[in-house]
Amino acid sequence: MVLFLHKICVLKKIELLFTAIILFPLTFSCSKESKEDLIDIVVNEKPTDQPGEEPEVKEPLIESSPIPDNPQRTGNASVGYEYLISGNYMSSGVPYDAFLLGTSVNPDNRLNRTGDNANLPYDYTAITATNGARVVGPNCLACHAATIDNEFIIGLGSHDSDFTVNRASNIALLNSGIRALYGGEDSAEWQAYDQFRKSIVAIGPRTITQTRGSNPADKIAQVLIAHRDKNTLEWQDTPLVDIPEEVIPSDVPAWWLLKKKNAMFYSAIGRLDFCKSFIGSSLLTLGDATQAAEIDAKMVDVLAYIQSLEAPEYPFSVDQDLAQQGKQLFENTCATCHGTYGNSPTYPNLLVTLNSVGTDPELSDHYTKSSPMNNYFMDWFNSGWFGTHGNNLQIKAEGGYIAPPLDGIWATAPYFHNGSVPTLEDVLNSQNRPTRWSRSFDNTDYDQTKVGWIYSSEQTKVDKNTYDTTLKGYGNSGHTFGDHLTDSERSALIEYLKTL
């Protein structure tokens, strides 16, 4: 009994450690190629000059190309929801009893789960490993659920995750606790934990972001596939390619937008089968390709659930007369790229060139510029199991960013693909965007006028809660299409965006 109490004390010393090593699962969630198919969209085109008048300067053309539709597999949404919150798409993790001893989180069971899962935070799931040991691993809601104004929303990208620390920094202490509790590395619990341990050690030091709220999903993918054979998907302790040091951040897109999209991710590199891309999250703990095929069969139901999600309604008051004015403005200036809304919505699925949109190029450039990692990445997905087995996933990088649907845009701050702009008002007025800004990360600190997070401008990077747009990949330039608006027009447009 004394020895057992000693083991518990060891584990108590690592209280909250598991929160520190949450790994937000990667969600992997074709435009025409000839120059003739490149379309130019004119924003607010000026009338033709009259003879004798001074020539007017026309607004810049927006170069874009349509992304072709790719029919997706269908499934059962209710079955998909259950698999999402309780399924075994993770197959390794922290032993269940050790997890409970090592965390002080008091779960509210907001998902109304039963059994062991009723005792866990919503973003963790208890599963039975292949050797029969009961373990706990992160689930997809770690990245794809969040709270805003005290409302928990499944499908809203996590806006407050913290990847500014090395999540493997305390792994040695965790290892010692598990050895002590279960009798060493020959135990079934250690064996069921080992793959999770290896992945955390590989990912932890290589996926550190500069700011809280930024997500390193792309870098997580690079690290995981560097350690896996592209055909068997089996783990390799030594990376198969040199992994670059830089971490390019991204924001987590809302799930409810996926049903409108013909490609996944901000750079639209995820083509063909969306279900296959979801297995990317399982690369954290996956055994091999046989297990991947079993998970793939379940992902059709997960996709059906994601496609059933609707954008949350704006929870505050809306000036309907002003919003109506904004609607007309939106349909005249924004709808060509972002689509129309209401009873007969449209969405064009346009990939906009970097030259036209002007937003931070690093995420896009990472996939279009040749490098050992990028070449390996393209080959790994397109010629390995993911691209050749069953319903194929295709990774296709053409450069630029997709002009996204705007359903529920009020809830998805901060904005742009890297989360560099705190409010919609700043999106529509590039001159007022803060170079460095901080927020409280209190989900109720919401700015109903500017629509987004209440923030303060900073002269320097104060701490991890400060977003610094001068850092590589964190830039807030581009999308200057709202700069020509008057203040009253901008206010009307923002009021309309609240209603989407």
Side-chain angles (χ1 to χ4, degrees):
M1 176 61 72
V2 173
L3 178 60
F4 179 73
L5 290 176
H6 171 69
K7 294 173 182 177
I8 292 178
C9 289
V10 170
L11 286 169
K12 284 295 184 179
K13 291 180 181 179
I14 58 172
E15 185 170 312
L16 296 179
L17 173 61
F18 305 106
T19 300
I21 63 169
I22 291 174
L23 178 68
F24 290 175
L26 162 70
T27 303
F28 281 114
S29 346
C30 297
S31 60
K32 299 180 180 178
E33 300 176 2
S34 66
K35 293 182 180 179
E36 290 76 17
D37 290 321
L38 190 67
I39 64 173
D40 293 337
I41 302 168
V42 181
V43 179
N44 289 341
E45 186 174 5
K46 308 287 186 181
T48 304
D49 295 336
Q50 298 298 318
E53 294 181 357
E54 288 294 325
E56 296 184 34
V57 178
K58 293 185 176 181
E59 295 286 347
L61 300 177
I62 301 179
E63 299 174 329
S64 66
S65 53
I67 303 170
D69 185 21
N70 292 293
Q72 300 298 318
R73 289 182 275 169
T74 58
N76 184 307
S78 60
V79 172
Y81 173 72
E82 290 300 324
Y83 188 69
L84 181 70
I85 65 171
S86 300
N88 62 345
Y89 48 91
M90 294 294 172
S91 53
S92 174
V94 178
Y96 181 79
D97 292 333
F99 184 94
L100 294 183
L101 288 171
T103 179
S104 63
V105 175
N106 184 22
D108 55 17
N109 198 18
R110 65 189 65 182
L111 301 177
N112 295 315
R113 296 188 293 183
T114 59
D116 289 342
N117 286 317
N119 302 317
L120 301 177
Y122 71 88
D123 48 354
Y124 283 100
T125 297
I127 54 97
T128 301
T130 54
N131 67 356
R134 196 70 169 156
V135 297
V136 176
N139 63 41
C140 291
L141 299 190
C143 273
H144 296 283
T147 301
I148 184 169
D149 193 42
N150 291 326
E151 180 183 0
F152 179 69
I153 304 173
I154 294 179
L156 176 61
S158 177
H159 52 72
D160 57 1
S161 57
D162 189 353
F163 281 94
T164 63
V165 296
N166 178 358
R167 293 171 181 253
S169 60
N170 290 323
I171 198 72
L173 182 59
L174 177 59
N175 293 344
S176 296
I178 292 175
R179 290 190 193 100
L181 187 59
Y182 297 103
E185 297 183 9
D186 291 331
S187 67
E189 287 80 8
W190 176 274
Q191 295 299 320
Y193 158 72
D194 197 38
Q195 181 55 62
F196 178 78
R197 176 191 66 82
K198 290 179 179 180
S199 294
I200 292 297
V201 169
I203 289 169
R206 295 184 178 275
T207 58
I208 301 173
T209 61
Q210 297 296 316
T211 304
R212 183 182 175 189
S214 297
N215 193 293
D218 291 81
K219 187 59 179 292
I220 292 173
Q222 294 169 31
V223 176
L224 289 178
I225 69 170
H227 282 274
R228 289 189 178 275
D229 180 271
K230 68 178 183 180
N231 294 310
T232 67
L233 304 184
E234 293 177 349
W235 182 266
Q236 313 293 312
D237 288 334
T238 302
L240 302 175
V241 64
D242 289 337
I243 304 172
E245 292 299 321
E246 67 180 12
V247 178
I248 304 301
S250 64
D251 191 47
V252 182
W255 265 350
W256 55 80
L257 302 178
L258 187 59
K259 59 176 167 285
K260 288 188 173 183
K261 291 183 176 181
N262 292 343
M264 297 183 70
F265 315 118
Y266 289 106
S267 53
I269 63 172
R271 311 291 179 91
L272 301 183
D273 188 60
F274 290 178
C275 298
K276 184 68 74 63
S277 73
F278 295 163
I279 305 174
S281 63
S282 301
L283 292 175
L284 178 67
T285 63
L286 192 69
D288 54 25
T290 299
Q291 188 178 40
E294 295 171 356
I295 298 171
D296 177 60
K298 305 290 184 61
M299 287 301 173
V300 294
D301 298 320
V302 173
L303 178 60
Y305 170 70
I306 291 174
Q307 290 177 330
S308 74
L309 295 175
E310 297 294 338
E313 293 186 4
Y314 186 71
F316 310 109
S317 62
V318 175
D319 184 332
Q320 294 297 336
D321 292 336
L322 187 60
Q324 187 60 34
Q325 297 175 35
K327 178 181 180 181
Q328 296 303 316
L329 187 63
F330 179 90
E331 292 181 348
N332 290 334
T333 61
C334 311
T336 308
C337 286
H338 293 291
T340 60
Y341 302 81
N343 295 329
S344 301
T346 63
Y347 176 63
N349 268 283
L350 297 180
L351 181 63
V352 182
T353 66
L354 290 177
N355 183 58
S356 289
V357 71
T359 49
D360 190 292
E362 295 298 334
L363 185 62
S364 173
D365 286 348
H366 175 79
Y367 294 106
T368 57
K369 293 183 178 180
S370 178
S371 70
M373 183 71 245
N374 188 38
N375 297 342
Y376 176 87
F377 187 94
M378 294 295 178
D379 176 73
W380 195 94
F381 278 106
N382 291 332
S383 69
W385 183 87
F386 276 82
T388 61
H389 179 85
N391 297 277
N392 300 339
L393 171 67
Q394 180 188 44
I395 302 298
K396 184 174 183 178
E398 297 178 285
Y401 298 110
I402 193 169
L406 303 182
D407 307 77
I409 190 172
W410 70 269
T412 60
Y415 300 102
F416 288 2
H417 68 273
N418 56 5
S420 59
V421 181
T423 72
L424 283 180
E425 183 176 277
D426 296 313
V427 169
L428 297 173
N429 189 350
S430 67
Q431 299 302 313
N432 285 354
R433 294 173 194 165
T435 301
R436 298 175 185 86
W437 54 277
S438 298
R439 59 184 171 115
S440 68
F441 287 90
D442 181 332
N443 77 77
T444 64
D445 278 352
Y446 187 84
D447 192 323
Q448 298 180 41
T449 301
K450 293 185 174 182
V451 181
W453 297 113
I454 294 174
Y455 67 90
S456 58
S457 295
E458 309 287 358
Q459 294 300 311
T460 61
K461 184 172 175 57
V462 178
D463 54 25
K464 67 179 182 180
N465 293 342
T466 303
Y467 194 107
D468 186 350
T469 66
T470 67
L471 300 174
K472 183 177 181 180
Y474 291 77
N476 66 355
S477 63
H479 196 282
T480 58
F481 310 121
D483 287 2
H484 69 281
L485 298 172
T486 65
D487 289 343
S488 60
E489 288 174 331
R490 191 172 293 112
S491 295
L493 183 54
I494 290 173
E495 201 70 12
Y496 174 64
L497 291 174
K498 295 176 181 179
T499 70
L500 302 186

